[in-house]
Amino acid sequence: PRNGGAATTEDWVATTQDLKDVNAPTGVITKTWADLEPGSRIYGDMRQLAKDFNDNAAAGRAVFFGFQPINTVKRELPRDLAKLAWDDPAMITRFQEFMDHMMLEGAKPPKYISLANEADVYFEKNPKELESFLKFYEAAQAIIKRNAWPETRIGITVTFDGLMKGRTKIVQKLLQATEIAIFTYYPVIDLKLLPIEDINSHMDMMVAAAGEKDIYFQEVGFPSSEGLGSSEARQAKFFDTFISAARSRDQVKMASLFMLHDFTAEHCDM
């Protein structure tokens, strides 16, 4: 909804109707671990999350769940876990308990899960944590498959600009650990728009990085701001070109367009 965090119930009802009208096949839901468990075994929005999963299922939509212990530049963990190593037994035990609680709430299985958002950005600044995080990922994946949702496909979200800005080795290491390749794609580097004519070469880079794995675009976006030298017409051309490029590549299974409106000034100030 246009109002973001200030959206009313009516805004959300209208959005749900829009999704139904366009027959959207997938609903994308993202939450940090801190959102869902702000303190030790204090579960915040878990009941609502389970309802969101189930409402999408009832509407015939698959769910892509972005579970984010890492959110681009920082850890987003329950307070008492904030400074632990990723592979600390307490971290893994608490993830098991988190999943047990999800099952108690009766959440239907999401079709896809990302277990960190734009993780290559974080590990560029925290490279010594990468190996312990991969151990956490392996353990978390096993917990999901063994005890909860064996058919759910699991990955880690990485950025397109990681391939353009020297994080290629980190991106490759993260993708090697996963079942599926998940990207965010914004062709804007250091606030400079990349040529729309380069979209197909960008897609080829991501396909090469994914290897044989299916590709899911958690987010795809392009600004319309004149302050960046763009326009609504240029934005429309980007989406026309991207959608055509995605549909021509069998590996691309999903793309979520982000967003339909600019952030509010208040959101940017925050």
Side-chain angles (χ1 to χ4, degrees):
R2 184 180 296 276
N3 294 328
T8 65
T9 300
E10 289 76 17
D11 290 328
W12 286 107
V13 168
T15 295
T16 302
Q17 186 61 47
D18 287 343
L19 290 169
K20 183 178 178 182
D21 289 346
V22 301
N23 197 29
T26 307
V28 175
I29 299 170
T30 58
K31 296 284 185 182
T32 70
W33 194 348
D35 290 333
L36 297 167
E37 190 184 352
S40 177
R41 300 169 184 86
I42 299 169
Y43 299 111
D45 297 332
M46 297 279 277
R47 184 162 296 173
Q48 182 60 50
L49 180 67
K51 183 178 184 303
D52 290 344
F53 282 17
N54 297 346
D55 286 350
N56 274 278
R61 284 190 295 273
V63 169
F64 177 106
F65 177 39
F67 176 79
Q68 301 173 347
I70 292 171
N71 191 12
T72 309
V73 296
K74 62 179 180 175
R75 291 174 169 228
E76 294 271 19
L77 295 164
R79 285 188 292 272
D80 61 314
L81 301 181
K83 295 184 180 179
L84 291 184
W86 293 105
D87 58 347
D88 189 295
M91 185 86 77
I92 294 164
T93 297
R94 283 283 287 285
F95 184 78
Q96 173 73 70
E97 292 175 4
F98 174 91
M99 287 303 304
D100 289 345
H101 196 80
M102 282 289 288
M103 300 308 291
L104 286 173
E105 294 292 353
K108 292 188 182 299
K111 192 166 185 180
Y112 320 105
I113 292 180
S114 165
L115 284 175
N117 182 47
E118 300 185 321
D120 55 298
V121 180
Y122 178 83
F123 289 116
E124 181 181 35
K125 302 295 184 186
N126 302 278
K128 292 180 180 178
E129 297 182 31
L130 179 54
E131 292 302 327
S132 66
F133 177 79
L134 290 174
K135 292 176 184 175
F136 166 80
Y137 172 84
E138 184 179 4
Q141 177 174 265
I143 288 166
I144 293 167
K145 297 280 191 181
R146 182 176 64 244
N147 294 349
W149 303 317
E151 302 302 318
T152 297
R153 306 192 74 197
I154 304 170
I156 299 167
T157 303
V158 297
T159 66
F160 160 71
D161 65 73
L163 299 176
M164 299 287 286
K165 294 183 70 175
R167 296 194 296 272
T168 303
K169 288 183 179 178
I170 298 173
V171 169
Q172 288 174 336
K173 195 149 197 175
L174 291 166
L175 290 178
Q176 283 167 3
T178 64
E179 288 185 281
I180 57 177
I182 308 172
F183 288 93
T184 59
Y185 177 45
Y186 300 101
V188 185
I189 304 295
D190 298 329
L191 295 181
K192 293 186 173 137
L193 302 180
L194 302 181
I196 290 172
E197 294 73 22
D198 291 350
I199 287 174
N200 276 289
S201 65
H202 297 166
M203 296 286 277
D204 290 341
M205 289 174 65
M206 289 183 278
V207 167
E212 304 272 322
K213 294 175 182 176
D214 289 343
I215 295 171
Y216 299 79
F217 287 100
Q218 175 185 296
E219 301 164 25
V220 178
F222 193 88
S224 60
S225 170
E226 293 180 5
L228 290 173
S230 191
S231 65
E232 290 199 355
R234 190 169 179 182
Q235 185 186 63
K237 184 179 179 184
F238 166 79
F239 281 116
D240 281 343
T241 307
F242 170 80
I243 290 168
S244 176
R247 284 179 170 158
S248 71
R249 290 165 170 81
D250 290 341
Q251 273 177 267
V252 178
K253 304 302 183 185
M254 187 203 84
S256 177
L257 308 187
F258 187 93
M259 296 176 57
L260 297 185
H261 312 289
D262 290 341
F263 288 120
T264 63
E266 291 78 13
H267 187 95
C268 293
D269 288 344
M270 178 188 71

